Amino acid sequence: MENFPVDAPQDASKQESTFSSFDRAMMQRCIELARRALGQTAPNPLVGSVIVQDGQIVGEGFHPGAGNPHAEVFALQDAGERANKATVYVNLEPCNHYGRTPPCSEALITAGVSKVVVGMVDPDPRVSGGGIARLRQAGIEVVVGVEESACRKLNEAFIHRILYHRPFGILKYAMTLDGKIATTTGHSAWVTSTGARHEVHQLRAACDAVIVGGNTVRLDNPQLTSHQTYAHNPLRVVMSRTLDLPLDAYLWRTSDAPTLVLTEVGSSPDLQQQLLKNQVELVELTPLTPAKVMAYLYDRGLLSVLWECGGTLAARAIAEGAVQKVLAFIAPKIVGGRLAPSPVGDLGLATMTDALALERVTWRSVGSDCLVEGYLPSLPPSII
């Protein structure tokens, strides 16, 4: 994931030190603009663009979603004639191919810009390096690598989708200090504080789909929405082999958000008919596994998938490589209970030296809770 062919800095920290604070501020503004379309651009990346003339911003834009013009085009429209001889900032390399929209590199050349500052090279082989080469061929100065780490973090789901042909999987769970996601009776509302739950709602709004298993539907009856007026709601996905599900679940209220039920061939024809009446989408996949589900969601064009499931399904998703990132909310509570459920079920790991050690780990306070974020390493063959 690190080896891009054009101007990819060998040492990001040394490279970053050569850029001005103004360049970095403008690239951060690009990222800020791009984030306005969180959860709405799949399968396209998040892109923002800023145009600067004589040290002043004269145009801004972001890509709102697939089929719409790219960020640079909106910024050029905003700048008008002031784009001539201006500097353009964009967090992802301008495209140089015809897709649903014309190439942005040609639009920048036609506008007469003098310099383009790029956050990162596009990993898409249709683009990678081509946009930069075309701009330089036209005599435009191109600088690459400003705020590259932040740009890559913004589009980590897009990068993963391009390189591995699967959506980016995020496992989210909330647990007590002693590692429980519910009491021995199954009661789980609420493990964490209001602040943590608000953060989860924002996370959902940034994802294309959120997945739960049948057990979560039966025990928790979740809504799985962003709980925010006008905010994006993800596709709500239920994995259930048998369709042993309640008829009155919140998830069947598709006026709030769309719901997709994934099941195996021949499961509960009666319930299938009831769900179809409620405008719930049903798809049969055999065998119904996390890996097969992620392949299916990739074919639907999704970028990021949030796993909010119980421990059994979470373990299976990890083992099958369907999870790349973990977000663990830890509440300063203790409930105890030998049989109280934990966030991840059996992975078949016998010794602590076999444990999956997260990489690039960060942690911060969210209200009274702690959020630990990290990335799973490539799984050994014994796990997959």
Side-chain angles (χ1 to χ4, degrees):
M1 190 178 294
E2 302 299 328
N3 298 321
F4 291 168
V6 177
D7 287 359
Q10 298 300 309
D11 187 324
S13 61
K14 290 181 181 178
Q15 183 78 13
E16 283 293 341
S17 66
T18 66
F19 301 129
S20 70
S21 58
F22 183 81
D23 284 341
R24 292 195 292 271
M26 290 301 96
M27 193 59 68
Q28 285 291 343
R29 177 57 180 167
C30 291
I31 292 172
E32 183 182 343
L33 289 166
R35 290 180 62 84
R36 293 183 181 179
L38 275 170
Q40 301 174 69
T41 63
N44 290 356
L46 294 159
V47 185
S49 183
V50 173
I51 299 179
V52 173
Q53 183 75 265
D54 297 325
Q56 299 294 318
I57 295 176
V58 296
E60 292 185 332
F62 66 94
H63 177 52
N68 290 288
H70 291 182
E72 301 94 317
V73 173
F74 283 112
L76 289 171
Q77 290 174 352
D78 190 31
E81 293 183 358
R82 294 171 297 178
N84 188 49
K85 305 299 182 184
T87 296
V88 177
Y89 292 83
V90 61
N91 59 284
L92 187 69
E93 175 184 4
C95 66
N96 190 47
H97 70 286
Y98 282 88
R100 297 187 189 182
T101 57
C104 293
S105 56
E106 296 303 325
L108 293 169
I109 293 167
T110 301
V113 307
S114 63
K115 181 177 179 180
V116 177
V117 181
V118 177
M120 63 170 282
V121 178
D122 195 324
D124 189 334
R126 297 174 302 171
V127 180
S128 192
I132 292 169
R134 177 69 185 99
L135 293 172
R136 287 175 173 163
Q137 184 184 38
I140 296 172
E141 180 186 357
V142 182
V143 176
V144 183
V146 177
E147 294 290 286
E148 183 180 13
S149 294
C151 292
R152 292 175 66 79
K153 178 71 179 289
L154 172 71
N155 273 310
E156 60 186 1
F158 174 72
I159 295 171
H160 182 82
R161 176 183 167 84
I162 290 294
L163 295 184
Y164 300 103
H165 305 287
R166 290 292 182 273
F168 185 75
I170 305 168
L171 173 63
K172 186 283 301 180
Y173 56 81
M175 70 179 189
T176 60
L177 202 57
D178 55 337
K180 310 298 182 182
I181 59 174
T183 66
T184 53
T185 65
H187 186 263
S188 62
W190 295 100
V191 174
T192 52
S193 64
T194 302
R197 297 198 296 276
H198 177 67
E199 185 122 351
V200 171
H201 297 158
Q202 291 181 310
L203 178 61
R204 288 177 188 159
C207 290
D208 300 313
V210 53
I211 298 181
V212 296
N215 230 20
T216 299
V217 178
R218 288 186 290 270
L219 294 176
D220 297 343
N221 192 20
Q223 298 182 51
L224 303 181
T225 61
S226 65
H227 294 262
Q228 302 171 65
T229 306
Y230 306 119
H232 165 74
N233 279 318
L235 173 67
R236 303 175 299 183
V237 181
V238 179
M239 289 178 61
S240 175
R241 287 193 178 94
T242 63
L243 283 190
D244 179 20
L245 302 172
L247 280 171
D248 58 350
Y250 284 125
L251 295 178
W252 314 151
R253 301 178 186 179
T254 53
S255 58
D256 298 330
T259 300
L260 165 67
V261 172
L262 299 175
T263 188
E264 293 197 340
V265 174
S267 62
S268 188
D270 291 341
L271 182 61
Q272 287 201 30
Q273 290 304 312
Q274 290 295 324
L275 295 180
L276 290 171
K277 288 179 182 178
N278 286 349
Q279 311 304 312
V280 174
E281 186 181 0
L282 274 151
V283 173
E284 295 177 329
L285 297 175
T286 301
L288 184 63
T289 64
K292 198 171 185 69
V293 167
M294 291 298 262
Y296 170 74
L297 295 178
Y298 170 81
D299 289 339
R300 286 182 66 131
L302 274 61
L303 282 175
S304 55
V305 172
L306 183 63
W307 294 84
E308 288 201 51
C309 50
T312 301
L313 184 53
R316 188 76 185 272
I318 290 173
E320 294 186 13
V323 173
Q324 284 67 53
K325 184 176 182 178
V326 176
L327 298 177
F329 291 87
I330 305 172
K333 301 176 181 178
I334 295 175
V335 296
R338 184 172 60 87
L339 300 179
S342 63
V344 180
D346 187 14
L347 284 171
L349 303 177
T351 65
M352 193 57 68
T353 54
D354 293 329
L356 303 176
L358 297 186
E359 301 169 348
R360 293 172 281 157
V361 177
T362 60
W363 56 90
R364 59 186 170 87
S365 297
V366 181
S368 60
D369 306 311
C370 176
L371 171 59
V372 178
E373 176 181 327
Y375 297 82
L376 283 169
S378 298
L379 297 181
S382 59
I383 299 298
I384 299 177

